[in-house]
């Protein structure tokens, strides 16, 4: 039976709101937390983007749930040696309840220092090398590394957990999924795609953790929920590689003009129909996911958590 977690959105909420949502999630019976790692929101309407590692420190004191970044890009904006230190400290603060979810990133967050944004195959090469560096550092031993993309000299993490931090890799296509199957401790995707799960498991992932996530908008007025999603998260309906290559929130706002409310209505669960919410989670369960995370887009978080505690989670 899958576990069900709550997805904290750093793009839409400030630190205090995220901590309160995590407390409500634990009280409602959710079993784990995902938290996004962004420098920018996708658009100005979302309006937030706190530093995820500070929020994780606060979460470690506020709740007892496992926590995972979904996902961190350890390749451009932050050097993998620095990400390794942040992840190791997070694991210590949570008593080993932290997993590091990583991916190849988006220009939206990673180009801010003026670095060249590489093509996809190079980003995957960088990600694999970054994982190698971080795993060596998690041992607590001194590391020197002179690789294709990264240099590390005489680096040692003195604050490390008893067990190395698990590293899960995000994949939305065959190449990234193949990388995950070779090098990851788990696989992450936001599509209930049984074929991708099968590729991961047969490619070497075996019985390792497979995690997925989705967004919904709970509310008593379905039309209002659709308008809320269209205003805040229309970016999720953009096709292809746009989410990886557009460089700023304003560019996403321009592209989002192509997304209609009908597209949102067809592709996102909105409203308070229990069967629709259950069906959304069940699609991931049927595809073979071990952990399934859900995020509430709308403003009524108290109503959302009560709804899931009493009507949705008991059916799962």
């Amino acid at each position: 039976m899958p576990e069900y977690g709550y997805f904290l959105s750093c793009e839409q909420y400030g630190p205090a709101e995220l901590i309160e949502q995590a407390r409500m999630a634990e009280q409602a019976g959710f079993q784990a937390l995902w938290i996004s790692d962004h420098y920018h929101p996708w658009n100005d309407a979302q309006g937030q983007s706190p530093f995820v590692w500070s929020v994780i420190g606060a979460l470690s004191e506020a709740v007892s749930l496992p926590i995972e970044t979904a996902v961190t890009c350890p390749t451009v904006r932050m050097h993998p040696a620095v990400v390794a230190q942040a992840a190791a400290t997070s694991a210590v603060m949570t008593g080993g309840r932290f997993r590091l979810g990583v991916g190849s990133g988006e220009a939206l967050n990673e180009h801010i220092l003026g670095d060249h944004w590489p093509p996809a195959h190079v980003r995957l090469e960088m990600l694999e090398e970054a994982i190698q560096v971080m795993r060596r550092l998690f041992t607590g031993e001194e590391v020197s590394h002179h690789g294709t993309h990264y240099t590390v000299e005489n680096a040692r993490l003195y604050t490390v957990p008893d067990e190395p931090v698990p590293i899960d890799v995000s994949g939305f296509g065959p190449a990234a999924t193949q990388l995950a199957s070779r090098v990851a401790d788990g696989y992450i995707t936001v599509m209930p795609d049984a074929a991708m799960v099968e590729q991961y498991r047969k490619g070497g992932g075996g019985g390792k953790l497979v995690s997925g996530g989705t967004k919904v908008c709970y509310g008593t007025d379905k039309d209002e929920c659709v308008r809320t999603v269209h205003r805040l998260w229309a970016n999720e309906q953009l096709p292809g590689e746009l989410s990886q290559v557009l460089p700023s929130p304003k560019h996403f706002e321009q592209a989002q003009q192509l997304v209609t409310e009908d597209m949102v209505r067809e592709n996102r669960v909105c409203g308070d129909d229990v069967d629709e919410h259950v069906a959304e989670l069940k699609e991931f369960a049927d595809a073979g996911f071990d952990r399934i995370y859900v995020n509430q887009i709308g403003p009524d978080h108290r109503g959302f958590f009560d709804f899931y505690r009493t009507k949705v989670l008991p059916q799962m």
Side-chain angles (χ1 to χ4, degrees):
M1 181 183 298
E3 295 181 336
Y4 294 89
Y6 187 71
F7 191 174
L8 297 166
S9 173
C10 282
E11 302 96 318
Q12 193 177 342
Y13 298 101
E17 294 171 299
L18 294 168
I19 301 306
E20 181 58 24
Q21 289 173 27
R23 290 194 180 104
M24 289 191 287
E26 185 168 36
Q27 293 166 3
F30 286 95
Q31 298 164 287
L33 296 172
W34 258 5
I35 185 166
S36 55
D37 180 359
H38 270 238
Y39 194 89
H40 292 138
W42 297 99
N43 52 59
D44 283 356
Q46 291 173 0
Q48 293 286 339
S49 203
F51 189 55
V52 70
W53 303 105
S54 299
V55 180
I56 289 170
L59 288 171
S60 72
E61 295 294 313
V63 297
S64 61
L65 298 177
I67 302 166
E68 178 167 17
T69 53
V71 295
T72 293
C73 179
T75 60
V76 179
R77 171 171 47 107
M78 289 181 66
H79 192 283
V82 178
V83 175
Q85 184 183 28
T89 299
S90 298
V92 170
M93 293 186 71
T94 58
R97 292 177 287 107
F98 178 77
R99 299 179 75 94
L100 177 63
V102 299
S104 59
E106 304 96 10
L108 174 72
N109 301 303
E110 305 305 320
H111 84 292
I112 60 169
L113 303 179
D115 297 284
H116 170 66
W117 185 236
H121 73 278
V122 176
R123 299 201 303 270
L124 291 177
E125 289 176 6
M126 296 171 71
L127 181 60
E128 184 168 5
E129 185 177 338
I131 291 170
Q132 294 171 354
V133 169
M134 293 188 292
R135 284 215 170 106
R136 291 180 63 191
L137 287 166
F138 289 153
T139 66
E141 299 175 358
E142 184 177 293
V143 173
S144 290
H145 171 89
H146 296 272
T148 303
H149 300 287
Y150 302 106
T151 298
V152 179
E153 293 187 351
N154 309 116
R156 177 185 172 190
L157 297 182
Y158 280 80
T159 301
V160 293
D162 294 335
E163 299 292 334
V165 179
I167 301 176
D168 299 340
V169 171
S170 170
F172 302 105
T177 303
Q178 194 274 334
L179 173 64
S181 68
R182 284 194 296 107
V183 307
D185 297 308
Y187 175 56
I188 292 172
T189 187
V190 294
M191 300 176 292
D193 191 329
M196 288 295 182
V197 174
E198 183 179 14
Q199 180 191 344
Y200 171 73
R201 295 206 185 280
K202 288 186 175 181
K208 295 177 182 177
L209 184 70
V210 174
S211 301
T214 187
K215 294 180 183 294
V216 302
C217 189
Y218 164 81
T220 56
D221 185 333
K222 182 169 184 173
D223 291 337
E224 180 61 28
C225 289
V226 169
R227 288 191 290 270
T228 297
V229 176
H230 185 258
R231 177 173 60 86
L232 294 172
W233 286 93
N235 58 283
E236 291 203 323
Q237 306 304 321
L238 295 176
E241 295 182 65
L242 286 177
S243 65
Q244 296 173 331
V245 301
L246 294 180
S248 75
K250 292 194 180 303
H251 289 94
F252 277 93
E253 289 165 5
Q254 293 167 10
Q256 285 168 198
Q257 296 177 49
L258 302 173
V259 178
T260 66
E261 290 187 6
D262 285 341
M263 293 167 65
V264 169
R265 192 183 301 273
E266 293 173 5
N267 292 285
R268 190 59 62 208
V269 173
C270 294
D272 59 355
D273 186 311
V274 176
D275 292 341
E276 290 184 10
H277 286 264
V278 169
E280 177 75 1
L281 300 186
K282 192 173 184 299
E283 193 170 359
F284 283 88
D286 290 345
F289 285 77
D290 302 305
R291 282 186 181 170
I292 303 159
Y293 296 82
V294 60
N295 169 259
Q296 159 68 346
I297 292 175
D300 185 6
H301 281 86
R302 181 64 63 188
F304 166 85
F305 284 115
D306 287 344
F307 178 69
Y308 267 68
R309 176 180 58 82
T310 60
K311 297 182 179 180
V312 178
L313 293 181
Q315 296 195 48
M316 305 308 301

